[in-house]
């Protein structure tokens, strides 16, 4: 069953973040990841959430998502991101039926 990584990224240093943004897609593809949303316009419909740069990635399953997140190739990029952005990240397991 598919799994989703949802991240809210508050970029503090755009120049440093550019290296992360440019290099990270190649690491995700190796684990079956694909973007469903990446830095597009957002609109808060309810609540007081003020998102920054939202990212939604889909992976084939939670094991693939976690294998990517814990991989050595992503660890190097994660260190870059952690220095130039504050990020909230969750992993969400998908549903097996359209109605959940």
């Amino acid at each position: 069953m598919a799994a989703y990584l949802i991240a809210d990224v508050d970029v503090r240093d755009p120049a440093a973040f550019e290296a992360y943004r440019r290099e990270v897609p190649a690491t995700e593809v190796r684990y079956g990841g694909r973007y469903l949303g990446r830095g597009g316009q957002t609109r808060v419909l309810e609540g007081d959430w003020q998102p920054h740069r939202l990212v939604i990635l889909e992976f084939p399953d939670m094991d693939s998502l976690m294998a990517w997140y814990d991989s050595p190739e992503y660890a190097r990029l994660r260190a870059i991101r952690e220095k130039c952005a504050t990020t909230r990240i969750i992993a969400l397991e998908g549903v097996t039926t359209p109605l959940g």
Side-chain angles (χ1 to χ4, degrees), residues 37-63:
R38 184 181 187 202
Q41 180 183 355
T42 61
R43 183 179 297 174
V44 176
L45 302 179
E46 294 187 27
D48 60 2
W49 185 19
Q50 296 302 312
H52 299 91
R53 176 185 172 81
L54 287 181
V55 176
I56 303 173
L57 283 164
E58 179 182 53
F59 287 85
D61 51 45
M62 189 65 78
D63 288 342

